[in-house]
Amino acid sequence: MTPTRGPAGIRAVCFDVDGTLTDGRICVDDLGRGMRLFDVHDGFAMAWYRDLGGILILCSGKTSDAVAARARELRITHVVQGSRDKVADLTPVLAQLGLAWDELAAIGDDLPELPLMRKCGYAVAVASAAAEVRAAADFVTTRPGGRGAVREALEHILRATGQWAQVLRHYGVEAGTPS
């Protein structure tokens, strides 16, 4: 992997969905409707990242009403579903946002994320990611996908930018106190 600017230069984060924002399981009911489970801690960190000026992007290989609903709930306006080439599909999104690739972090868990992880400025793998994805990452979470990995990754990025202290202050926590 080529050297990156690290987490401090990141202005936007792109999240894979299945296996990253979820634990990778898809429940299908008798009518064929899929359901995904999202972690509330991940949503908490995503909302704070957005409120502190960061840009959130979802990019999934599948198309799901549940993903669209979660994006609306978290006020994520940049959502790409049904992607077969995440780099190609995100290129116009970054152009629209006026962002360079090195200002983007990508968080993923499986092989389809590798081209994106190699192109972006900071690559994050969840602990439950495929070995090849963990090997390509600049940072690997200790938490698995769908179980707080996104919260951990965003806290890591916000700490690098010095913004995590604002979150802590909001809740009356001293910056030196373990969170």
Side-chain angles (χ1 to χ4, degrees), residues 15-23 36 38 58-60 67 86:
F15 306 89
D16 173 51
V17 177
D18 296 316
T20 302
L21 285 173
T22 74
D23 67 5
R36 288 159 171 81
F38 297 95
L58 298 184
C59 188
S60 179
V67 171
K86 294 185 178 193

Side-chain angles (χ1 to χ4, degrees), residues 9-14 49 54-57 94 97 99 103-106:
I10 297 306
R11 295 181 46 213
V13 181
C14 180
Y49 185 78
I55 300 166
L56 303 170
I57 304 168
L94 293 185
L97 294 168
L99 292 173
E103 295 175 300
L104 178 73

Side-chain angles (χ1 to χ4, degrees), residues 109-123:
D109 73 304
D110 213 345
L111 301 177
E113 282 81 62
L114 281 176
L116 177 59
M117 291 174 74
R118 290 183 181 120
K119 184 145 181 98
C120 74
Y122 198 67

